[in-house]
């Protein structure tokens, strides 16, 4: 075979290998043991910005090499320089990229790609090939024009595909750092509504100073029948003109869990279930639950994240978890199958223990278990609860008439997909949509349970009673609700979906509730909630302290 024909054949094979390796790596990743997948996810999440930089460098490398190969095929004089630059990036990538295990056949494709690169580089040194690159005849100039044209087309296509891939990744990965929030506010438990509103506006404007953030709604209540304080700033979608209001709908993510917890507590108050009751007594043969330290898993275990469950089931692929809507089309049968496949040991081989481990899977199973015990659908149970509490802007399923008020989520400044219309896995664990006004109504129901509803009053007592420790740092958990380490703890829960961040906090005496909703993934929402709560729980300054402050220049 003539060396020129061998050179072009090698170039074609190398281009195919360059394209095949990343595609096959992603496909084969799903076949790896779950423990290896989780380790890879932890490595990625531990340095998000570094991972994104490596991904961008990898795309640039592939674009450079593909363009160089196109130029080499037609002996463009620019092509060798691009080729060597691409190879330098390839070498640097091996030193910087984290190591992930991969099946042997994928490693073979990678090895063949390296061998192909070496073959192309070697053939470029052949006298006949080198002569083609130095050809200044009309034929040589015609080849150069063709090389420029082909390489240009490939560069545009590859750069477009690479840019699309980076945008898709950026819109699903959370930001590496939150926007700065002040440590304290000039507020106290006797501050007027006007003073509170002024500080809410200040916090909202500070949050929106980050150009990646779109809108925010903040609310404060001091109990049923008191004057509320609101601040709503920004827009429903970046580059849009519809303004956020007190009735704008936000995905509230895991704050949905405390709604599920109240439904479970009401079922306990009504004698439908018991907290110490094994879940299998209700779900029967529909699901096979592992034993936990030799004992059945109970409703209390699920409601306190002490069932030894992973955050996500094994039958939800890691690739799916980074999709715009990770939970779309995930059925109840899949949920039960995912739970039934857990076994009594975790992925690392350790036995499951009755210890705190936050789990969307566990709370979703709790929700479906309560629905089964009530012999009603989850949607109907939620609709009934919202109706009794007077929550008119909170939905399990968003009606068409309310969609125009639904904010768009954003992540790192890019629009992200909605999660509220996902499947069974997110139902009861993160699918609700609500407004700042309705979430204040929700908190008021906990601060001042409605008179005449003994079941609801007992349920509120049950959810806010400390049950078990919640990880390190002295935090504790009731039913769903988290409680801070303190003699008089703040009761709270936050939530996040692909492009929303939410926190709700309340305190029984003095009565106080705080809600912060943002349609961006910036975790500054949590900081705003806590600084507001702690400031408004402070005692007012004494006369001496107020006088000293007024004299400060």
């Amino acid at each position: 075979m003539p060396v020129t024909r061998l050179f072009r054949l090698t170039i074609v094979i190398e281009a195919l290998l360059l394209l095949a390796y990343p595609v096959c790596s992603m496909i084969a990743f799903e076949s790896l043991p779950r423990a290896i997948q989780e380790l890879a996810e932890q490595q990625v999440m531990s340095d998000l910005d570094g991972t994104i930089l490596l991904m961008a460098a990898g795309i640039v490398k592939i674009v450079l090499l593909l363009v160089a190969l196109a130029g080499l095929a037609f002996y463009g004089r620019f092509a060798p320089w691009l080729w060597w630059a691409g190879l330098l990036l390839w070498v640097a990538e091996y030193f910087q990229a984290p190591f992930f295990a991969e099946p042997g056949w994928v490693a073979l494709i990678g090895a063949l790609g390296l061998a192909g690169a070496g073959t192309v580089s070697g053939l470029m040194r052949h006298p006949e090939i080198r002569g083609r690159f130095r050809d200044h005849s009309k034929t040589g100039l015609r080849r150069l024009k063709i090389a420029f044209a082909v390489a240009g087309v490939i560069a545009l296509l590859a750069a477009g595909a690479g840019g699309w891939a980076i945008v898709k990744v950026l819109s699903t990965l959370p930001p590496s750092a939150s926007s700065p929030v002040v440590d304290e506010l000039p507020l106290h438990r006797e501050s007027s509504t006007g003073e509170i509103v002024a500080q809410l506006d200040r916090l909202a404007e500070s949050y929106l100073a980050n150009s990646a953030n779109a809108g925010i709604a903040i609310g404060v209540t001091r109990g049923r029948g008191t004057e509320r304080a609101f601040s709503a700033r920004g827009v429903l979608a970046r580059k849009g003109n519809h303004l956020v209001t007190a009735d704008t709908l936000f995905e509230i993510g895991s704050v949905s869990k405390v709604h599920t917890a109240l439904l479970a507590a009401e079922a306990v108050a009504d004698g439908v279930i018991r907290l110490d009751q094994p879940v299998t007594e209700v779900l029967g043969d529909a699901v096979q639950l592992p034993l936990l330290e030799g004992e059945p898993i109970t409703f209390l275990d699920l409601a306190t994240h002490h069932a030894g469950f992973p955050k996500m089931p094994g039958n939800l692929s890691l690739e799916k978890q980074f999709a715009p809507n990770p939970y779309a089309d995930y059925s109840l049968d899949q949920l039960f199958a995912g739970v039934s496949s857990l076994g009594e040991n975790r992925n690392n081989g350790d036995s499951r223990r009755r210890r705190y481990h936050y789990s969307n899977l566990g709370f979703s199973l709790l929700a479906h278990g309560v629905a089964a015990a009530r012999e009603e659908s989850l949607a109907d149970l939620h609709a009934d609860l919202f109706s009794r509490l007077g929550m008119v802007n909170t939905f399990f399923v968003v009606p068409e008439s309310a969609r125009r008020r639904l904010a768009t989520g954003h992540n790192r400044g890019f629009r992200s997909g909605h999660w509220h219309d996902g499947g069974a896995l997110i139902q009861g664990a993160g699918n609700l949509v609500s407004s700042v006004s309705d979430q204040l109504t929700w908190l008021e129901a906990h601060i001042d349970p409605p008179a005449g509803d003994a079941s609801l009053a007992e349920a509120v007592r049950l959810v806010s009673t400390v049950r078990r420790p919640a990880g390190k740092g002295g935090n504790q958990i009731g039913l769903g609700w988290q409680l801070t380490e303190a003699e008089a703890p703040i009761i709270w829960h936050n939530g996040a979906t692909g492009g929303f961040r939410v926190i709700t906090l309340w305190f029984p005496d003095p009565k106080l509730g705080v809600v912060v909703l943002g349609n961006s993934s910036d975790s500054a929402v949590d900081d705003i909630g806590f600084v507001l709560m702690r400031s408004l729980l402070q005692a007012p300054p004494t006369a001496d302290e107020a006088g000293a402050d007024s004299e400060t220049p």
Side-chain angles (χ1 to χ4, degrees):
M1 179 184 294
V3 68
T4 53
R5 185 175 298 176
L6 176 61
F7 184 55
R8 283 189 169 177
L9 179 61
T10 305
I11 285 172
V12 171
I13 294 173
E14 178 64 7
L16 292 174
L17 289 170
L18 280 173
L19 292 171
Y21 180 72
V23 174
C24 291
S25 293
M26 289 186 288
I27 294 172
F29 186 79
E30 298 300 332
S31 67
L32 294 174
R34 188 69 181 182
I36 294 177
Q37 293 185 25
E38 290 179 353
L39 177 61
E41 182 181 4
Q42 290 170 10
Q43 287 182 284
V44 168
M45 299 303 286
S46 66
D47 184 13
L48 282 175
D49 287 341
T51 299
I52 292 168
L53 184 60
L54 281 173
M55 178 185 175
I59 291 173
V60 171
K61 173 203 74 177
I62 292 175
V63 171
L64 272 178
L65 292 175
L66 288 176
V67 172
L69 287 170
L72 291 174
F74 293 95
Y75 306 105
R77 291 192 290 275
F78 64 89
W81 297 101
L82 291 180
W83 177 251
W84 299 124
L87 289 184
L88 281 175
L89 268 178
W90 201 344
V91 172
E93 185 182 49
Y94 271 95
F95 285 101
Q96 295 296 325
F99 174 76
F100 295 143
E102 57 189 12
W105 65 274
V106 177
L108 177 61
I109 293 175
L112 289 174
L114 288 172
T119 304
V120 171
S121 300
L123 288 171
M124 287 168 61
R125 307 298 299 171
H126 190 279
E128 186 174 348
I129 301 298
R130 294 174 68 181
R132 292 290 183 99
F133 284 111
R134 295 170 179 170
D135 184 2
H136 294 282
S137 67
K138 289 183 178 180
T139 301
L141 291 175
R142 187 172 65 251
R143 288 189 187 127
L144 180 60
K145 290 178 181 179
I146 294 173
F148 269 120
V150 173
V153 170
I154 291 178
L156 288 174
L157 291 175
W164 175 84
I166 291 175
V167 169
K168 293 294 287 185
V169 170
L170 287 175
S171 65
T172 56
L173 293 176
S176 57
S178 62
S179 300
V181 176
V182 295
D183 293 328
E184 57 182 332
L185 298 167
L187 295 173
H188 51 79
R189 69 182 61 166
E190 294 182 9
S191 294
S192 68
T193 301
E195 291 171 330
I196 296 172
V197 169
Q199 294 304 314
L200 299 189
D201 289 342
R202 173 189 172 195
L203 289 168
E205 294 299 334
S206 173
Y207 173 84
L208 293 176
N210 182 340
S211 60
N213 294 338
I216 188 169
I218 313 174
V220 174
T221 180
R222 285 166 165 163
R224 191 186 308 277
T226 63
E227 185 180 10
R228 295 172 170 181
F230 285 108
S231 180
R233 290 284 189 276
V235 290
L236 272 63
R238 291 183 76 231
K239 299 182 180 178
N241 55 12
H242 295 287
L243 301 179
V244 173
T245 70
D247 293 324
T248 294
L249 301 180
F250 294 78
E251 290 183 345
I252 63 172
S254 286
V255 174
S256 305
K257 290 181 175 68
V258 293
H259 296 72
T260 293
L262 192 65
L263 288 172
E266 274 201 293
V268 172
D270 292 341
V272 176
I273 61 172
R274 305 186 316 277
L275 287 177
D276 62 356
Q277 182 178 8
V279 179
T280 50
E281 288 186 7
V282 171
L283 294 177
D285 295 335
V287 63
Q288 302 298 316
L289 290 178
L291 293 177
L292 194 62
E293 299 179 356
E295 299 177 348
I297 292 174
T298 66
F299 283 101
L300 179 61
D301 293 328
L302 295 178
T304 57
H305 298 288
H306 276 68
F309 281 15
K311 185 175 182 180
M312 296 293 183
N315 59 359
L316 182 71
S317 68
L318 187 63
E319 179 185 1
K320 184 75 172 175
Q321 291 179 41
F322 288 95
N325 184 350
Y327 311 104
D329 304 320
Y330 190 94
S331 69
L332 187 58
D333 287 341
Q334 286 178 291
L335 176 70
F336 288 160
V339 171
S340 299
S341 67
L342 289 176
E344 295 186 19
N345 291 327
R346 299 167 58 196
N347 288 331
N348 62 5
D350 295 342
S351 59
R352 299 190 187 281
R353 306 291 298 276
R354 190 171 268 107
R355 292 178 180 172
Y356 180 81
H357 186 81
Y358 191 88
S359 175
N360 290 329
L361 175 62
F363 242 85
S364 182
L365 187 66
L366 171 67
H368 291 289
V370 171
R374 288 282 197 185
E375 297 183 346
E376 294 186 52
S377 71
L378 266 178
D380 288 343
L381 286 176
H382 282 85
D384 175 68
L385 176 64
F386 301 151
S387 176
R388 286 185 285 132
L389 295 180
M391 297 169 64
V392 297
N393 288 318
T394 305
F395 303 104
F396 188 90
V397 177
V398 182
E400 195 62 36
S401 60
R403 287 187 176 272
R404 60 182 178 82
R405 293 188 284 116
L406 178 61
T408 298
H410 301 81
N411 197 352
R412 295 176 179 257
F414 298 101
R415 294 191 181 195
S416 60
H418 283 111
W419 289 9
H420 64 85
D421 51 356
L425 180 56
I426 198 173
Q427 291 174 352
N431 68 310
L432 296 184
V433 166
S434 189
S435 66
V436 67
S437 57
D438 256 22
Q439 284 303 293
L440 289 178
T441 300
W442 168 252
L443 293 185
E444 288 167 356
H446 289 71
I447 297 168
D448 291 312
D453 194 335
S455 176
L456 183 60
E458 174 62 9
V460 169
R461 186 191 69 79
L462 289 171
V463 297
S464 57
T465 299
V466 172
R467 302 287 171 177
R468 288 171 172 170
K472 300 176 182 179
N475 291 331
Q476 303 171 95
I477 190 169
L479 301 183
W481 286 103
Q482 306 278 336
L483 295 92
T484 58
E485 180 190 16
E487 185 175 342
I490 294 171
I491 306 169
W492 65 280
H493 206 296
N494 62 356
T497 63
F500 292 83
R501 191 85 183 195
V502 179
I503 191 167
T504 56
L505 314 94
W506 62 284
F507 199 82
D509 187 22
K511 297 175 180 180
L512 182 63
V514 170
V515 175
V516 188
L517 310 173
N519 62 331
S520 301
S521 55
D522 191 343
S523 61
V525 161
D526 292 4
D527 300 330
I528 291 172
F530 273 106
V531 74
L532 262 175
M533 197 73 183
R534 290 180 174 131
S535 297
L536 288 168
L537 286 174
Q538 295 179 124
T542 63
D544 290 342
E545 291 170 336
D549 288 342
S550 65
E551 294 171 6
T552 302

